[in-house]
Amino acid sequence: MNAPQLVVHRDKELMAQAAAARLITKVVDAQASRGSASLVLTGGRNGNGLLAALAAAPARDAIDWGRLDLWWGDERFLPEGDPERNVTQAREALLDAVPLDPARVHAMPASDGAYGSDAEAAAEGYAAELARAAGPGEHGGVPAFDVLMLGVGPDTHVASLFPELPAVRETERTVVGVHGAPKPPPIRISLTLPAIRAAREVWLLAAGDDKAGAVKIALSGAGEVQAPAAGAYGSARTLWLLDEPAASQLPRSLYPPASA
Ligand SMILES: O=C(O)[C@H](O)[C@@H](O)[C@H](O)[C@H](O)COP(=O)(O)O
């Protein structure tokens, strides 16, 4: 496992703007070298804040939106169009403003979609979609995403992998249904840690003083079942993008003073 890198920004707005700029460069480089790029989006305030910053970024359209695959790390299992769904919020923040190829936007199933209200069947359907998209050298049935983004919850959850619940313990399946999530709504669909780890780079987003405890726990050697964020790492890079309040409980030695 590669050691996590940390960058700490002055506040959550700057963190979102800097993360958006970083993402543009990453996507442009991937498209220049491979002709396409793939991202995994996350829900929540920080995830949507990054998308909004990307929508407003001057260099936004350096990205060839038609050659970008978008996936989700998790989804609230609600009816299509529900304002609480991560994809609904992503569309409002960015997706409706850029010329994506709809065939390359892979939303997780809704609770009134092809799988009805069966979250497990919906999870299996998404796992199958991921497997179809995986290339010949990409084992584990998941594409090697260029960047997989994860908001970090105050309890150290990422995606819909909550401490001590069954989903964070999953070692085989790539996508699972989640019931009894402590963060509403209770029923969700989530990538598992094995799927998250298929990504080349995993970026964890945490801003605000309500995340300071989670950041400290996750970066201080906690186990992944007790602190799921501790188990989220990429095959090539793991990057924590923080603001100063979220980093306020970390020893200063963990991150360079230059990041601001
Ligand atoms: O469906 C969700 O709620 C998100 O995917 C979830 O994993 C989120 O990223 C974290 O809870 C952080 O959310 P905030 O950034 O709003 O604190």
Side-chain angles (χ1 to χ4, degrees):
M1 176 180 109
N2 47 69
Q5 298 171 316
L6 278 68
V7 177
V8 180
H9 293 290
R10 183 188 62 223
D11 55 41
K12 70 174 180 296
E13 290 77 16
L14 187 55
M15 186 270 264
Q17 290 161 352
R22 183 184 294 274
L23 194 61
I24 291 170
T25 304
K26 179 59 67 178
V27 170
V28 168
D29 285 356
Q31 292 180 328
S33 62
R34 293 200 327 272
S36 69
S38 66
L39 300 178
V40 180
L41 305 184
T42 188
R45 291 162 299 175
N46 292 158
N48 289 319
L50 191 161
L51 296 183
L54 185 49
R60 176 187 91 180
D61 294 333
I63 290 175
D64 181 342
W65 294 100
R67 293 188 296 148
L68 178 65
D69 285 300
L70 293 181
W71 302 85
W72 271 261
D74 74 330
E75 186 56 277
R76 294 91 178 267
F77 197 53
L78 296 165
E80 185 65 42
D82 189 294
E84 282 306 300
R85 272 177 54 82
N86 288 333
V87 62
T88 309
Q89 295 176 4
R91 288 196 191 288
E92 286 164 8
L94 169 69
L95 309 191
D96 286 350
V98 290
L100 291 156
D101 174 353
R104 302 182 77 157
V105 178
H106 307 274
M108 286 181 161
S111 62
D112 58 353
Y115 305 94
S117 60
D118 184 339
E120 280 62 34
E124 286 168 20
Y126 201 70
E129 189 173 352
L130 283 164
R132 286 193 297 275
E138 294 165 338
H139 309 297
V142 176
F145 307 113
D146 292 291
V147 180
L148 184 149
M149 287 168 281
L150 294 167
V152 179
D155 61 356
T156 75
H157 80 260
V158 289
S160 290
L161 305 177
F162 294 91
E164 310 284 353
L165 291 192
V168 73
R169 303 169 191 271
E170 177 62 41
T171 58
E172 300 301 323
R173 290 176 293 167
T174 56
V175 190
V176 293
V178 174
H179 298 266
K183 176 179 182 182
I187 306 177
R188 292 157 165 263
I189 298 174
S190 183
L191 294 190
T192 58
L193 287 178
I196 288 169
R197 292 170 182 156
R200 289 183 177 87
E201 298 197 17
V202 170
W203 297 2
L204 295 104
L205 312 173
D209 55 16
D210 61 322
K211 304 300 176 72
V215 170
K216 179 179 187 291
I217 290 166
L219 289 171
S220 301
E224 65 197 30
V225 172
Q226 292 75 25
Y233 45 85
S235 61
R237 187 187 198 191
T238 305
L239 179 63
W240 285 71
L241 295 172
L242 307 171
D243 72 352
E244 287 186 4
S248 58
Q249 292 185 23
L250 286 178
R252 192 79 190 175
S253 58
L254 259 185
Y255 59 91
S259 55

